[in-house]
Amino acid sequence: MGGNQMTNPNFAYFAGFFDGEGTVDIRARQTHNSKYLRFELRVSIPQVIDSPLIKAQSIWGGSLVKGKRINTWSCASKLAVQFLSDIYPYLIVKKDEVEVALAFANLIGSYERKAKEHGGFAKESEDRINSKLYYFHELRYLRELKGFARKNRNTLLAA
């Protein structure tokens, strides 16, 4: 964000809201009979009152699930990257987590560009998979330090 740009009040508000209530996560799962390891960047914010979640959805898209007691706004992939990029300058509590998530997204983005050049599919190297796993574990480590995540929640990729 350049020094001449004005502060966007929505971005600043949602940074504080996300710092207090939100979660950024890198999810991993095996697909095609455990042949492939797929990763997804995901953001979610649960809240009893749905009005700020409706506002987030109107700005960034994503989905809003209304429960009996708790409502949750979430977004993934490119929408999550846009949201995190927009609020990043204003974060305090989860700034380090978002840095890891955005570095992961940059790695994913470079792979997607390469895949398009190769007709939609490019085999991932072991180094690239290990890089994704690094970000996966680094984000969990930061969350564990703050008491935000259970240890070894995803046994598939437990260290």
Side-chain angles (χ1 to χ4, degrees):
M1 178 165 179
N4 295 334
Q5 293 178 339
M6 293 178 52
T7 299
N8 184 316
N10 286 319
F11 296 175
Y13 170 81
F14 279 101
F17 191 46
F18 180 79
D19 260 347
E21 303 294 333
T23 301
V24 59
D25 196 15
I26 297 170
R27 295 185 179 178
R29 63 185 172 89
Q30 290 183 318
T31 63
H32 298 87
N33 294 323
S34 299
K35 187 175 179 181
Y36 301 106
L37 190 56
R38 300 286 186 225
F39 293 85
E40 178 186 57
L41 178 63
R42 189 160 197 76
V43 169
S44 63
I45 304 175
Q47 179 68 16
V48 173
I49 307 296
D50 68 356
S51 55
L53 305 178
I54 292 168
K55 178 88 171 173
Q57 187 180 33
S58 74
I59 296 169
W60 290 284
S63 63
L64 178 59
V65 176
K66 294 187 177 190
K68 289 184 179 180
R69 300 185 56 187
I70 300 291
N71 307 295
T72 303
W73 171 74
S74 62
C75 61
S77 304
K78 291 178 183 177
L79 296 176
V81 170
Q82 185 62 59
F83 171 74
L84 294 173
S85 297
D86 288 345
I87 68 169
Y88 176 79
Y90 311 100
L91 290 169
I92 297 170
V93 176
K94 295 180 180 148
K95 193 168 201 136
D96 56 349
E97 296 173 52
V98 171
E99 286 172 355
V100 170
L102 291 174
F104 171 81
N106 188 49
L107 177 70
I108 296 293
S110 67
Y111 173 73
E112 286 177 353
R113 286 187 293 277
K114 182 179 175 188
K116 285 181 183 178
E117 292 168 7
H118 290 31
F121 181 78
K123 184 157 177 51
E124 288 193 284
S125 69
E126 191 172 328
D127 285 344
R128 182 174 292 283
I129 292 169
N130 286 336
S131 294
K132 289 178 178 183
L133 287 169
Y134 166 79
Y135 292 121
F136 174 90
H137 288 295
E138 183 67 14
L139 184 56
R140 280 191 171 40
Y141 173 73
L142 292 172
R143 293 177 66 211
E144 285 173 17
L145 286 177
K146 297 172 188 173
F148 294 154
R150 295 184 306 261
K151 291 185 180 183
N152 296 333
R153 185 183 89 178
N154 189 334
T155 56
L156 165 73
L157 300 168

